[in-house]
Amino acid sequence: MQTKLQNWLVCLLVITMFALVGCNSQPETSAAPTGSPTPSPSTPATSSPTATTLPRLEGKATVVMTVKGAPITMELDGTSAPITAGNFVDLVNRKVYDGLVFHRVVREPQPFVVQGGDPQSKNPNVPLDRLGTGGFIDPATQQPRDIPLEITPRDAKEPIYSRTFREAGVNVPPKLRHTRGAVAMARSQSPDSASSQFYVALADLQFLDGDYAVFGYVTQGMETVDKIQQGDRIESAKVTQGLENLKGGSASPAASPSASPSPSPTTSP
């Protein structure tokens, strides 16, 4: 029995690597473009070098994503994950996710995740096996937008940025855990490489806690998530509540008027 359990854990860890990081470990096939600065060992655990230039969600927001003609309601937590949730709300408001594909679905040997959000997938001519390498390109700057790893420990007032809990020496669970229905950001091996790709946990995946940033939960429509197949498209995504809590994004008065509603499909990370 112990041998079978060990084999299962090894298998699950391998699946995790492929499901959340990308097709392989080479930079050109990472889950999102890299580019965010890597912090030095002396960087404070709560300091984020890009935090002041990114959208933030100050409070809660609700996003309704339509897949297979059915709504999936997500409640996003900007209190515990302000940059991660703010980035997602901003991309939803820009219509970035409309028409994108769920390119990775893992249910065997156990339910794991459904993952989507690669802007390349809006182009039907991009092969499915190439997806998982793209991220959001800001149309105002033509530069990739990567966000830092942002996880708030339980009972802490501030998130830890750019480090996993293991790297930061944190031995408590995060406030937002990988329970079934958790919505979190996919990234490459670099902690600050999340961009637009996200995943929904199909089961409790608490071994991912402290390594990947959860920023909300599916509150209605999990039965639709359970039916998602590889290649299914997001028909639409809309912020239905809390858009006024987005600061510095496309809904902010300070947002650039030249920003287009959605990015062009990328051809390389």
Side-chain angles (χ1 to χ4, degrees):
M1 182 65 184
Q2 184 175 3
T3 301
K4 289 184 178 179
L5 181 60
Q6 290 173 342
N7 291 339
W8 156 242
L9 290 174
V10 171
C11 182
L12 192 55
L13 289 174
V14 171
I15 292 173
T16 303
M17 185 179 300
F18 279 87
L20 302 184
V21 175
C23 298
N24 59 50
S25 60
Q26 297 302 315
E28 62 270 23
T29 56
S30 61
T34 57
S36 299
T38 301
S40 65
S42 61
T43 301
T46 57
S47 173
S48 171
T50 57
T52 59
T53 63
L54 293 168
R56 298 176 65 91
L57 184 67
E58 298 180 356
K60 305 284 186 176
T62 303
V63 167
V64 176
M65 189 171 285
T66 302
V67 181
K68 294 178 176 288
I72 300 167
T73 302
M74 302 174 177
E75 298 292 339
L76 309 183
D77 188 344
T79 302
S80 300
I83 293 175
T84 313
N87 174 71
F88 189 80
V89 169
D90 181 52
L91 297 183
V92 169
N93 196 51
R94 290 173 181 263
K95 305 297 183 185
V96 169
Y97 290 113
D98 291 9
L100 299 192
V101 163
F102 286 97
H103 62 273
R104 183 170 292 117
V105 176
V106 181
R107 290 194 175 91
E108 298 295 340
Q110 295 291 334
F112 188 50
V113 300
V114 297
Q115 181 178 328
D118 185 340
Q120 297 179 104
S121 66
K122 188 166 288 191
N123 183 348
N125 295 321
V126 175
L128 195 62
D129 60 5
R130 191 172 117 188
L131 300 180
T133 64
F136 175 65
I137 305 295
D138 191 325
T141 64
Q142 293 301 308
Q143 296 298 314
R145 180 202 285 175
D146 298 336
I147 62 172
L149 181 63
E150 175 189 54
I151 311 176
T152 301
R154 184 184 64 193
D155 301 327
K157 293 182 179 180
E158 297 288 336
I160 288 176
Y161 287 101
S162 303
R163 297 181 187 180
T164 65
F165 276 18
R166 187 181 303 104
E167 292 168 338
V170 176
N171 297 316
V172 298
K175 283 187 175 180
L176 304 180
R177 305 201 68 179
H178 280 82
T179 55
R180 172 172 157 81
V183 185
M185 293 303 292
R187 62 175 177 85
S188 68
Q189 290 180 332
S190 169
D192 293 348
S193 59
S195 180
S196 59
Q197 292 186 51
F198 70 97
Y199 61 92
V200 179
L202 298 176
D204 291 351
L205 305 173
Q206 293 180 359
F207 63 91
L208 296 179
D209 287 347
D211 286 328
Y212 293 87
V214 174
F215 60 94
Y217 295 90
V218 173
T219 56
Q220 295 180 27
M222 197 60 198
E223 67 280 1
T224 299
V225 176
D226 287 333
K227 297 176 184 177
I228 291 174
Q229 301 296 324
Q230 187 180 43
D232 285 346
R233 290 190 179 272
I234 300 169
E235 295 162 21
S236 66
K238 183 178 181 180
V239 184
T240 59
Q241 293 182 29
L243 188 58
E244 69 277 5
N245 294 331
L246 178 65
K247 310 301 178 183
S250 56
S252 169
S256 170
S258 63
S260 61
S262 61
S264 300
T266 56
T267 57
S268 62

